[in-house]
Amino acid sequence: MKYFVLFGPPGAGKGTQAGSMVERYKLCHLSTGELLRSEIAAGTPLGLKAKALIEGGNLVPDEVVEGMIESKFKSVKDVDGFLLDGFPRTIAQAEALDAMLDKNGETVTACVSLMIPDELIHERIAHRANIEGRADDARPEVVENRVKTYHAKTEPLIEFYKKANHYHEIDGVGTIDEVRERIFSEMDQF
Ligand code: ADP
């Protein structure tokens, strides 16, 4: 099985590019953001807890997302691997992922990192707010907090995956087609 980590700041285009990646490489797309939003929509106890955190631009606890990911690893069949979108988002989550995979003698295949500058994050999220209507996209102070959280808690993963020799950075500035071609030319090697 292949385990791709799709990495990048909020608004980098992970969700946009994920569809063509899972199709080309026969992967299961696991977006922790989407999984959490469906818990919220279903009004589950977990969703209720997550809602306030997400709408404040904060992360949900590591154990929550780790549990969601591990149960998907166990239940999803008939794929060549997984595309992890929005997970891991902290060093603790990355270590938990390594431990989960290690139990079955597996490792992360590659971290595919979509990079855009902070100015573009704000521009893209403002645009998406009008289209998707996500509560955490609507308020500038919440977006600002997500960017801060990204720099403080998630960005250290770049060094983590560089050290493990798994880091592959892709320029996320350009048209959707241009970025997709850059991703494919990097991922085709795995
Ligand atoms: P974006 O990439 O635009 O920030 P996501 O859909 O990936 O959006 O995530 C939305 C929100 O869900 C995050 O701001 C965070 O509150 C929560 N979330 C998603 N993934 C994780 C994670 N791995 N750990 C903690 N919180 C998460």
Side-chain angles (χ1 to χ4, degrees), residues 171-190:
D171 179 5
V173 183
T175 65
I176 292 175
D177 290 357
E178 281 164 353
V179 175
R180 188 185 56 236
E181 289 313 311
R182 287 177 204 145
I183 294 173
F184 285 174
S185 66
E186 197 64 40
M187 283 178 75
D188 277 356
Q189 65 178 299
F190 297 107

Side-chain angles (χ1 to χ4, degrees), residues 10-11 14 32-33 36-37 54 58-60 65 86-87 89 93 128 134 136 146:
K14 302 187 291 293
T32 41
L36 290 166
R37 283 189 288 279
I54 292 178
N58 300 303
L59 297 180
V60 305
V65 283
F87 178 88
R89 242 180 169 92
Q93 290 177 19
R128 183 170 75 186
R134 269 172 55 176
D136 60 342
R146 284 161 63 200

Side-chain angles (χ1 to χ4, degrees), residues 10 32-33 36-37 40 46-62 64-65 68 86 89-90 93 125 134-137 139-154:
T32 41
L36 290 166
R37 283 189 288 279
I40 295 175
L46 193 161
L48 288 178
K49 252 208 297 186
K51 187 175 190 307
L53 289 165
I54 292 178
E55 291 181 3
N58 300 303
L59 297 180
V60 305
D62 290 333
V64 170
V65 283
M68 293 193 316
R89 242 180 169 92
T90 62
Q93 290 177 19
I125 290 182
R134 269 172 55 176
D136 60 342
D137 284 345
R139 296 193 2 244
E141 64 276 23
V142 172
V143 176
E144 195 52 55
N145 196 32
R146 284 161 63 200
V147 173
K148 257 202 225 148
T149 304
Y150 167 77
H151 287 303
K153 304 217 168 122
T154 307

